[in-house]
Amino acid sequence: MHTSMFNSLLQRRKFITNAVKATGSFALLSTQLSFTSDKKLNKQYTVQEIIDTILKEGNLSTISDTVDTIKSGNANQIVTGIVTTMFPTIAVIKESVKHNANFIIAHEPTFYNHRDDKDWVNNNDTVNQKQELLDKNSITIWRFHDYCHSLKPDAIIYGMVKKAGWLSYFKLDENILTIPKISLHNLVLHLKSSLNIAHVRVIGDLHAQCENVTVMPGAFGGQKQVGVVEAKHPDVLIVGEVSEWETAEYIRDSQLLGKKTALIILGHAVSEEPGMEYVAEWLRPMFSSVNITHIPSYDPFTWL
């Protein structure tokens, strides 16, 4: 090797060594991560490649009769950006266009029924106009519901617990947490503040102390909600939504019989939204070359 070239390499090695010593190992780690990220910078994915990667990275087994299918668009489409959300509302679709995102990963239905059957109500003009908007902007929607709840931990419950600041009390595969004692009133205030919820509904004594809480975001159904109360007797059951003639009436009568379990109803969309926000966080390291944004669908109700 030529002497000048050798000296140049030696000086470069000394420079790198001194830089690492001066700034610590974090600098080296950052450099390595930067190189890794740069390699993926121009990587493009189709919708199907992203779905396949999610199932693989989540260690998810195939569910034969799942609602997690493409609701609109094309599996072979090159993805320009990803949006996660609860409900792919008209507002979410328009905001996705502004973000140059043509792939929406939604937790709940696009067309107002569990199977996204567009003929659920014949000649539904809202369905038709929504489909036209999706087609016009070449947006693909994939529902991530059954598989999302199959993740370990369940991404929806985990996301809600994380946003509520309760991860230190969370155990895998459990939705019952033991938190520091707090009055039902202050627990409601904490949930409204941490989850950014304007209004909730409550059944129970607001002065009662709560320590054992069960979290069931979304719509678990009356049978499961009542079943867990009968089996575990938590101080409070925190849910997304209820059938008012089922769980709500059961809790009301239970309270009148002297039982302790209170009920907090957060609202379906806002109770599961933190889970889809967490999904966006989970996806970003997998697809570093793709812009991934969470766009909330918000509470559909105006409270008067």
Side-chain angles (χ1 to χ4, degrees):
M1 180 181 293
H2 195 278
T3 302
S4 61
M5 184 180 295
F6 177 80
N7 289 336
S8 176
L9 288 172
L10 183 62
Q11 289 298 319
R12 185 172 184 272
R13 181 175 296 175
K14 286 181 179 179
F15 173 79
I16 294 173
T17 301
N18 290 335
V20 170
K21 286 180 179 179
T23 59
S25 60
F26 180 74
L28 181 59
L29 177 60
S30 297
T31 302
Q32 291 171 339
L33 290 175
S34 177
F35 287 160
T36 301
S37 179
D38 287 344
K39 289 178 182 178
K40 296 182 178 180
L41 194 59
N42 297 318
K43 171 68 175 173
Q44 289 187 320
Y45 301 88
T46 66
V47 166
Q48 192 61 56
E49 285 174 333
I50 287 175
I51 294 172
D52 291 343
T53 302
I54 289 172
L55 300 186
K56 179 182 177 181
E57 293 298 318
N59 195 28
L60 296 165
S61 301
T62 301
I63 300 174
S64 58
D65 185 27
T66 181
V67 295
D68 292 8
T69 58
I70 291 175
K71 307 303 179 182
S72 180
N74 185 351
N76 296 319
Q77 178 170 272
I78 296 295
V79 173
T80 60
I82 298 173
V83 162
T84 66
T85 193
M86 261 295 290
F87 288 89
T89 65
I90 297 295
V92 168
I93 294 168
K94 289 182 177 180
E95 193 65 23
S96 299
V97 173
K98 292 179 183 178
H99 282 77
N100 192 33
N102 63 357
F103 184 28
I104 298 176
I105 299 177
H107 188 63
E108 295 295 13
T110 301
F111 298 112
Y112 324 116
N113 64 91
H114 188 54
R115 294 284 178 181
D116 281 294
D117 178 4
K118 295 178 187 177
D119 295 321
W120 184 57
V121 172
N122 291 331
N123 301 317
N124 189 327
D125 186 57
T126 297
V127 166
N128 294 337
Q129 289 191 56
K130 190 172 192 178
Q131 185 63 69
E132 288 172 5
L133 179 65
L134 291 167
D135 293 342
K136 176 183 176 182
N137 293 284
S138 300
I139 290 179
T140 296
I141 297 180
W142 176 57
R143 188 175 180 189
F144 187 42
H145 181 273
D146 299 349
Y147 286 116
C148 190
H149 285 299
S150 298
L151 288 168
K152 301 294 182 182
D154 179 318
I156 298 300
I157 292 177
Y158 184 86
M160 176 189 164
V161 170
K162 180 176 184 286
K163 195 152 190 176
W166 291 343
L167 279 184
S168 58
Y169 316 114
F170 178 74
K171 296 179 181 178
L172 186 64
D173 293 331
E174 291 189 16
N175 59 349
I176 299 177
L177 294 75
T178 301
I179 63 173
K181 281 189 177 181
I182 185 172
S183 71
L184 180 60
H185 178 264
N186 287 336
L187 176 57
V188 168
L189 294 180
H190 170 71
L191 290 170
K192 289 174 66 177
S193 174
S194 61
L195 303 182
N196 193 28
I197 299 175
H199 298 89
V200 304
R201 292 185 291 169
V202 184
I203 299 176
D205 178 4
L206 294 178
H207 300 289
Q209 294 297 301
C210 301
E211 185 177 23
N212 297 315
V213 303
T214 296
V215 293
M216 303 180 79
F220 272 75
Q223 189 174 38
K224 288 184 178 179
Q225 291 166 346
V226 171
V228 76
V229 174
E230 285 294 308
K232 302 297 183 180
H233 308 289
D235 297 322
V236 59
L237 174 66
I238 304 170
V239 303
E241 69 171 68
V242 299
S243 292
E244 294 185 19
W245 52 278
E246 294 178 343
T247 305
E249 292 302 328
Y250 159 79
I251 292 292
R252 176 158 68 168
D253 270 352
S254 295
Q255 290 268 323
L256 292 171
L257 289 170
K259 297 181 181 181
K260 66 178 182 179
T261 301
L263 176 67
I264 299 176
I265 306 172
L266 303 174
H268 190 131
V270 292
S271 72
E272 293 193 293
E273 196 78 70
M276 291 308 291
E277 186 176 359
Y278 166 69
V279 167
E281 296 176 19
W282 179 63
L283 292 177
R284 287 184 186 116
M286 297 183 210
F287 310 105
S288 60
S289 62
V290 181
N291 184 38
I292 300 175
T293 308
H294 175 73
I295 299 177
S297 56
Y298 297 112
D299 191 333
F301 301 104
T302 299
W303 298 85
L304 301 177

